[in-house]
């Protein structure tokens, strides 16, 4: 069932107005009251530390004081989890000063987004003319995850471009370039490694070797810059410290947080967030489920990817898994989910938008588009009290609402599997009839 002309016009108007709202929000991030609230400040300070030869993985507020970096807002009291190559990339902009560097980083991210959109529009089957790319880019500026990503100055548009280029190369059989681009994404953020496991299972050795080589080169760069002890500290202290701080935070939808929420509770951490009691107070079970749930999600994703025949669907599935099994997952990470959403909507278009699947996909897309602040505000409607720091206390069930994004990604994985199976079912009944006609003719 194709959407009516009036409905399509309504959607166009909505996307244009929503894009305008997103552009306004992104622009407001450079206001004096907001520019120092960006996550970009962490990458900037990391780059400064790397260039100036000081410990780059000391707490961000301590690093800021060391550089006499006067921020009117609070800086995170923990080390940044950004990698050394990521810090060196941002350090290329450090000569312009923080505020100008943040502006240049936004321009760079927008260029990455436009390049990613060119790839997606071409794959979708629409000529990649300027008007279509500009329209999609404008509309996406109002998409919750991308608006947040560009507001805080993260690097997910760059990661999206690298993963799209890798997917494009791998689906065309260009193993070395596809693997190298995947390795480039891994060097910047250790997230898409489930794709490497799938390529390993498919025995695509050249792509796995290329991804491993680029990842190794990134680690050798880190070793050369901060030494063995620095790299060891990054993995044994920095990563676990940041993970522990946010494992019970309501904005973190990672699979690693499920066990903690079930058996310890949702915590506000040092940032203001929801507080919810556990289902059962059982810390030992929390430690077990903290490891078990991500393993189950990984096993589920790999099993689904092995059952599909379309590489596009398998790659999209594993990007969903990659988001969920990262120890910390914020809503702006969902920029990477743009590819899985595009794959499932293209299948629906080819299937002429079957009613049930289209409704489910609309719901999943809506949940993946919501800023976490909206989900948090809905959960806060069930507030029972307030902590001394002003964090709302909600019942356990209300706290689970903040895992809606994780549930939507799990549902998206099954939708990807289902639309491919549905497309196969649409084609399969035609074959026996065709074969029968051939036999009669002979």
């Amino acid at each position: 069932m194709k959407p009516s002309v009036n409905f399509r016009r309504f959607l166009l108007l909505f996307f244009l107005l929503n894009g305008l709202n997103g552009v306004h929000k992104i622009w407001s991030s450079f206001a004096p009251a907001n520019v120092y609230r960006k996550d970009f400040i962490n990458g900037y300070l990391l780059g400064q530390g790397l260039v100036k030869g000081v410990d780059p993985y000391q707490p961000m507020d301590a690093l800021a004081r060391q550089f006499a970096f006067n921020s009117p807002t609070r800086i995170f009291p923990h080390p940044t989890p950004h990698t050394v190559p990521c810090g060196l990339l941002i350090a290329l902009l450090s000569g312009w000063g923080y505020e100008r560097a943040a502006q240049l980083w936004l321009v760079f991210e927008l260029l990455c987004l436009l390049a990613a959109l060119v790839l997606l529009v071409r794959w979708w089957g629409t000529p990649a003319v300027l008007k279509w790319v500009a329209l999609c880019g404008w509309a996406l500026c109002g998409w919750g995850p991308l608006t947040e990503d560009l507001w805080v100055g993260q690097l997910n548009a760059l990661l999206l471009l690298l993963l799209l280029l890798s997917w494009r190369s791998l689906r065309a059989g260009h193993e070395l370039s596809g693997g190298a681009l995947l390795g480039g994404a891994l060097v910047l953020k250790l997230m898409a490694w489930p794709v490497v496991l799938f390529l390993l299972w498919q025995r695509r050795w050249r792509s796995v070797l290329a991804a491993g080589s680029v990842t190794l080169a990134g680690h050798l760069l880190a070793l050369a810059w901060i030494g063995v002890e620095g790299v060891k500290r990054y993995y044994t202290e920095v990563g676990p410290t940041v993970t522990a701080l946010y494992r019970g935070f309501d904005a973190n939808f990672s699979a690693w947080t499920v066990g903690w929420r079930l058996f310890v509770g949702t915590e506000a951490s040092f940032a203001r967030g929801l507080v919810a009691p556990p289902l059962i107070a059982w810390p030992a079970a929390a430690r077990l489920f903290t490891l078990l749930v991500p393993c189950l999600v990984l096993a589920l994703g790999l099993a689904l990817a092995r059952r599909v025949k379309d590489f596009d669907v398998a790659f999209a599935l594993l990007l969903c898994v990659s988001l969920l099994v990262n120890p910390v997952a914020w809503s702006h990470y969902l920029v990477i989910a743009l590819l899985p959403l595009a794959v499932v909507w293209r299948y629906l278009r080819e299937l002429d938008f079957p009613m049930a699947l289209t409704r489910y996909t609309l719901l999943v897309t809506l949940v993946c588009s919501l800023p976490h602040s909206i989900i948090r505000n809905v959960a806060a409607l069930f507030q029972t009290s307030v902590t001394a720091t002003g964090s709302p206390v909600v019942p356990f069930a209300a706290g689970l609402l903040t895992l809606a994004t994780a549930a939507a990604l799990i549902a998206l994985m099954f939708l990807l599997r289902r639309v491919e199976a549905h497309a196969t079912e649409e084609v399969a009944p035609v074959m026996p009839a065709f074969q029968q006609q051939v036999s009669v003719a002979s």
Side-chain angles (χ1 to χ4, degrees):
M1 182 185 69
K2 293 183 179 180
S4 65
V5 175
N6 289 335
F7 182 69
R8 281 181 283 180
R9 288 175 178 171
F10 167 77
L11 284 180
L12 178 61
L13 179 61
F14 170 79
F15 287 136
L16 289 175
L17 294 177
N18 194 48
L20 178 62
N21 180 55
V23 169
H24 173 72
K25 288 182 178 179
I26 295 164
W27 182 258
S28 71
S29 70
F30 294 100
N34 294 328
V35 68
Y36 287 91
R37 295 169 56 197
K38 288 174 168 285
D39 284 352
F40 179 77
I41 198 171
N42 300 315
Y44 183 83
L45 289 173
L46 171 64
Q48 291 286 303
L50 291 169
V51 170
K52 295 181 179 179
V54 303
D55 179 10
Y57 288 115
Q58 57 186 295
M60 288 290 100
D61 53 355
L63 201 57
R65 288 193 299 270
Q66 189 166 345
F67 294 142
F69 191 83
N70 297 318
S71 170
T73 58
R74 185 182 184 187
I75 298 178
F76 292 129
H78 61 71
T80 177
H82 287 317
T83 63
V84 167
C86 180
L88 291 174
L89 175 63
I90 297 177
L92 296 175
L93 306 175
S94 60
W96 282 276
Y98 170 73
E99 294 189 21
R100 182 55 58 85
Q103 295 169 359
L104 292 173
W105 183 258
L106 173 63
V107 172
F108 174 67
E109 282 276 283
L110 288 173
L111 292 175
C112 291
L113 175 64
L114 289 176
L117 287 176
V118 169
L119 296 176
L120 280 176
V121 168
R122 285 180 176 175
W123 168 77
W124 187 267
T126 305
V129 295
L130 180 61
K131 68 173 184 178
W132 287 113
V133 175
L135 179 62
C136 291
W138 181 269
L140 280 174
C141 283
W143 185 45
L146 184 64
T147 304
E148 182 181 349
D149 179 77
L150 297 178
W151 199 101
V152 300
Q154 272 284 347
L155 66 155
N156 292 295
L158 171 59
L159 293 175
L160 174 66
L161 176 60
L162 289 173
L163 290 170
L164 282 173
L165 288 170
S166 173
W167 160 68
R168 185 170 177 266
S169 296
L170 290 171
R171 72 196 300 268
H174 302 149
E175 303 294 329
L176 292 179
S177 59
L181 288 162
L182 180 59
L186 287 167
V187 161
L188 293 175
K189 188 179 287 288
L190 294 170
M191 183 183 292
W193 53 268
V195 180
V196 179
L197 294 182
F198 179 72
L199 295 174
L200 191 61
W201 175 81
Q202 285 195 319
R203 298 182 181 179
R204 299 177 70 165
W205 309 119
R206 297 176 69 192
S207 59
V208 173
L209 179 62
S213 298
V214 173
T215 305
L216 177 61
H219 282 81
L220 290 176
L221 177 63
L223 285 169
W225 213 280
I226 62 175
V228 175
E229 288 301 318
V231 173
K232 179 182 177 182
R233 180 166 165 249
Y234 176 79
Y235 282 103
T236 60
E237 295 182 26
V238 175
T241 297
V242 175
T243 300
L245 281 171
Y246 293 111
R247 62 187 171 189
F249 191 50
D250 68 87
N252 180 13
F253 63 83
S254 166
W256 291 83
T257 194
V258 174
W260 201 258
R261 296 200 196 192
L262 286 173
F263 301 107
V264 175
T266 304
E267 302 170 342
S269 186
F270 62 88
R272 184 177 177 180
L274 292 178
V275 175
L279 178 64
I280 301 172
W282 191 3
R287 288 190 288 271
L288 173 62
F289 275 74
T290 295
L291 295 173
L292 181 61
V293 175
C295 290
L296 290 176
V297 171
L298 177 62
L300 172 65
L302 290 173
L304 289 174
R306 289 176 61 179
R307 294 180 63 184
V308 300
K309 298 178 181 178
D310 187 355
F311 180 76
D312 295 347
V313 174
F315 195 92
L317 269 166
L318 293 166
L319 289 188
C320 295
V321 175
S322 299
L323 291 169
L324 288 168
V325 299
N326 203 57
V328 179
W330 308 121
S331 56
H332 52 77
Y333 287 13
L334 290 171
V335 170
I336 295 170
L338 187 60
L339 175 58
L341 289 170
V343 170
V344 73
W345 278 108
R346 182 177 173 181
Y347 260 97
L348 290 174
R349 184 192 65 173
E350 294 173 353
L351 293 169
D352 199 20
F353 298 101
M355 183 66 70
L357 287 174
T358 302
R359 285 176 177 173
Y360 293 140
T361 308
L362 274 172
L363 179 60
V364 167
T365 304
L366 175 62
V367 175
C368 289
S369 302
L370 291 175
H372 180 75
S373 58
I374 293 179
I375 300 175
R376 176 185 287 165
N377 289 339
V378 171
L381 293 175
F382 301 92
Q383 174 181 321
T384 57
S385 61
V386 180
T387 66
T389 58
S391 297
V393 179
V394 299
F396 169 77
L400 287 183
L401 291 175
T402 58
L403 290 176
T405 303
L409 286 174
I410 295 290
L412 181 56
M413 290 163 56
F414 283 101
L415 279 171
L416 285 163
R417 172 72 180 93
R418 186 69 192 97
V419 292
E420 193 214 33
H422 196 73
T424 304
E425 292 168 3
E426 291 284 322
V427 175
V430 178
M431 297 304 295
F434 173 76
Q435 292 172 356
Q436 185 178 8
Q437 291 174 6
V438 172
S439 62
V440 169
S442 61

